[in-house]
Amino acid sequence: MVRLSAATLWDMMSAALRADLGRLFILAAPFALLPVVAVALFGPPAPTSIDNISNQQLLLRVALPSLIGAFGQLAATHLVLRRGDTPRDALAAALAAFPVFALAQLAGSLPVGLGLLLLVVPGLWLFARLLFLSGAAALVEPGTPFGLLRRSWTLSDGHGLQLTLFLLLGLFGVIGIGILAEGAGAALDVVARIAGLNGVGRFLHALFPGIGNCLVTVGIGAASASAYQQIVSSALKS
């Protein structure tokens, strides 16, 4: 069996994004961009510290956008897996697979969350083994939530270290995109407020983090689809 390397996966993800970024971004934007903007503009104020996060803020700023964004990620994953399909096909496939995918993500989030709390790397390793390939597997191999977790574990067998390395590198990329998006939004907000356009500045400050979140969402979908295709292909050849 050919081992999947982090570098190869990064190249595959990048190639998938370059080939179809426009369609992927537009497809995921209603689910990964708009909720972030809506929460920033109309949701509760952002907490000043972790200790001050309320249940409402946790629901509206983390849980709900993540759940909606997961649907966009699933649709983007389908479009990378089947590039000849239309966005409408991708949305239909995501709608059919989403209940099982979401329940699998919820079930797998407990061990992954504990791993992240104890130490980041074990959490990333568990995410790589249990959840990273689950979107592509849910689209191609329908089943039950726990069956999907078992399938993800089986698919990632022998690839856990490289998938974890890829996720660790990707984590730095996500942080970088977040900092750039927030910085660009804040800078444009200041310029707009100086010009007396307070409403425009507030909107731009909300828009750019939403754009960053959408890029991260389609990137994860492309990486999941690319890894799944490579692993299944190498298994069939061996």
Side-chain angles (χ1 to χ4, degrees), residues 131-202:
L131 300 180
F132 181 63
L133 299 172
S134 62
L139 291 163
V140 179
E141 310 173 32
T144 65
F146 286 103
L148 184 58
L149 292 177
R150 286 194 296 271
R151 180 57 175 155
S152 298
W153 188 268
T154 301
L155 285 168
S156 60
D157 186 32
H159 305 284
L161 179 60
Q162 291 300 320
L163 289 176
T164 302
L165 179 58
F166 170 81
L167 291 173
L168 188 59
L169 294 173
L171 181 61
F172 288 105
V174 169
I175 293 172
I177 289 174
I179 292 173
L180 288 174
E182 177 63 27
L188 290 173
D189 186 9
V190 170
V191 172
R193 289 177 185 274
I194 292 174
L197 303 172
N198 291 358
V200 173
R202 187 163 178 256

Side-chain angles (χ1 to χ4, degrees), residues 2-231:
V2 178
R3 300 295 181 185
L4 179 69
S5 71
T8 299
L9 180 53
W10 191 274
D11 289 341
M12 293 171 66
M13 178 194 69
S14 301
L17 291 176
R18 287 195 301 269
D20 212 5
L21 181 58
R23 282 204 313 164
L24 290 169
F25 187 90
I26 293 172
L27 176 66
F31 311 101
L33 190 158
L34 293 183
V36 172
V37 174
V39 168
L41 292 177
F42 307 111
T48 55
S49 68
I50 296 178
D51 295 333
N52 294 330
I53 298 178
S54 66
N55 290 334
Q56 183 188 37
Q57 289 170 328
L58 191 62
L59 175 64
L60 292 179
R61 287 190 168 271
V62 179
L64 192 57
S66 296
L67 181 64
I68 298 173
F71 183 86
Q73 177 190 321
L74 199 59
T77 301
H78 178 89
L79 210 57
V80 175
L81 287 171
R82 295 185 171 89
R83 296 182 184 179
D85 281 4
T86 65
R88 182 176 180 178
D89 295 329
L91 291 173
L95 184 61
F98 186 71
V100 170
F101 172 69
L103 289 173
Q105 293 283 308
L106 182 62
S109 65
L110 179 58
V112 170
L114 288 175
L116 290 173
L117 286 174
L118 294 173
L119 196 61
V120 173
V121 174
L124 289 177
W125 183 83
L126 285 170
F127 182 85
R129 296 298 311 274
L130 287 172
L131 300 180
F132 181 63
L133 299 172
S134 62
L139 291 163
V140 179
E141 310 173 32
T144 65
F146 286 103
L148 184 58
L149 292 177
R150 286 194 296 271
R151 180 57 175 155
S152 298
W153 188 268
T154 301
L155 285 168
S156 60
D157 186 32
H159 305 284
L161 179 60
Q162 291 300 320
L163 289 176
T164 302
L165 179 58
F166 170 81
L167 291 173
L168 188 59
L169 294 173
L171 181 61
F172 288 105
V174 169
I175 293 172
I177 289 174
I179 292 173
L180 288 174
E182 177 63 27
L188 290 173
D189 186 9
V190 170
V191 172
R193 289 177 185 274
I194 292 174
L197 303 172
N198 291 358
V200 173
R202 187 163 178 256
F203 172 75
L204 292 174
H205 199 170
L207 177 64
F208 275 79
I211 292 173
N213 186 62
C214 191
L215 291 173
V216 169
T217 297
V218 298
I220 294 172
S224 174
S226 298
Y228 176 87
Q229 288 176 320
Q230 179 67 19
I231 289 172

